[in-house]
Amino acid sequence: MRLNGLHHITAITGDARRNLGFYTGTLGLRLTAKTVNQDDPSVYHLFYGEEDARPGLDLTFFEHPGATPGRPGAGMVHRILWRVGSPAALAFWAERLAGHEVAAARGEDFVRFADPEGLEHELVLAGAPDAPLVAEHPEIPAALALQGFEGVRAYSARPERSAQTLRELMGAEEAADGVFVLRGESREGRIAWDPAPAEPGRQGAGTVHHVAWGTEHADHDGWLERLAAAGVRNSGPVDRHYFESIYFREPGGVLYELATKEPGFLVDGLPVEKLGTKIILPPWLEARREEIEARLTPLPDPRRGSRGRPATRAVP
C-alpha cells in the first residue's frame, strides 16, 4: 500500500468572501465544491482545485465567520508548498502578487507569501514528474499556473516520533535534506519538520486544520489493520460521500487523513462545468438543505458572466 501524495489540505477562514476572492482571483484556482463541514453543517467547506476537481490540488477551507486569527505551533502545519513548472513561472507569480498588493519574498528557486489571514504559502519548482494539475484563468497562462501540491512544512512536538511514523507506518522515504517523500502510483507528496516555536499554537483563521494523503478504496481495510497493529488510535472508516476517510493524529500532533480518490465530486451527477456553482450536500443532509443554506454566507459565483471562464478580478 502506497499513499498517493497529498489528496487535500484543509484550513480555516473567518471570511469566506475574502477567501474566495483571493484563491480564485489572485491565485487562479477553481472553486470546485461549495459544501459544508459534515461534522458541523452550519459552516462552509469550500474546495479550491484544478479544472476537473482531481485530488492533488485541493486546498479546502472551513469557514467560521469572524474567527480570531490562529497561530501555528507544535503539532501544526505552518506552510503549504505548491509546484510551478519553470523559473519563468516564479517570476510571473512574483510580479502578479505584487500587482495584487500581496507582499512576497523572492528567492532564486522560490516565492513565499501569505494569504489575507496569514496562511503561509511557498511556490517552488516541481520536484516530481507528476502530471500538472491546473485550473483555467484568463489572466494566468496554463504553463505558468500552479500545478498542484509539492508538500507541507510542519512543527512537531515529537519530531523523532513523527519521522518514525512516516517511515515505518506510512512508507515514506527520507531524502537527504530531511524531507519525507510519500510516492504513490501517480503522485508524490512531501512533508518536512521545522523546529517548533516556543509559543504554543492556536487553531484559528489562517491555520491548517489537517492534511489528507491520497489512497485507494481497495486499500482502506488494509490501512485500518495497519493502524490497529501499530496501536494508533483512529476514527475508523468515515463516509464523506465524495470520498472515504480515516483520521488519526501522528505523534507530533498533526492531524492526518487518509482519503480515497473515489468517487469524487461528480458522484451526484453534476456536470464538471457546473462544479462550484451550487451548494452540494451528502444525501443524509439533503433534507436539511433549506435550514443549512439559510445559515451560510452568501457567495458569488466567481465564473458567472465569463462563459465558464473565471472572473478577471478577485471577488471583493
Side-chain angles (χ1 to χ4, degrees), residues 7 28-33 47-59 82 131-136 145-149 187 265-266 272 275-276 303:
H7 183 283
L29 302 178
R30 180 178 182 186
L31 178 64
T32 54
F47 285 70
Y48 304 111
E50 60 96 45
E51 204 59 28
D52 295 319
R54 292 171 293 183
L57 185 69
D58 279 344
L59 178 59
W82 302 82
L133 298 173
V134 173
E136 296 179 6
L146 304 183
Q147 296 186 349
F149 294 129
R187 301 206 67 77
F265 288 119
L266 302 181
V272 68
L275 292 177
R303 294 191 167 191

Side-chain angles (χ1 to χ4, degrees), residues 177-265:
D177 55 3
V179 175
F180 290 86
V181 181
L182 293 105
R183 178 75 201 174
E185 180 181 349
S186 60
R187 301 206 67 77
E188 178 181 294
R190 302 180 176 209
I191 184 169
W193 304 100
D194 294 313
E199 195 172 20
R202 180 181 64 240
Q203 197 89 77
T207 62
V208 171
H209 184 271
H210 66 269
V211 174
W213 303 98
T215 186
E216 305 286 338
H217 176 78
D219 289 340
H220 247 211
D221 286 346
W223 280 110
L224 288 167
E225 292 171 4
R226 183 178 292 186
L227 290 166
V232 177
R233 296 178 60 184
N234 64 84
S235 65
V238 180
D239 180 6
R240 294 301 190 195
H241 184 55
Y242 305 106
F243 43 86
E244 296 181 6
S245 301
I246 301 168
Y247 298 86
F248 66 97
R249 201 169 291 277
E250 58 85 37
V254 175
L255 180 60
Y256 286 160
E257 175 184 356
L258 308 183
T260 64
K261 68 180 181 183
E262 314 96 340
F265 288 119

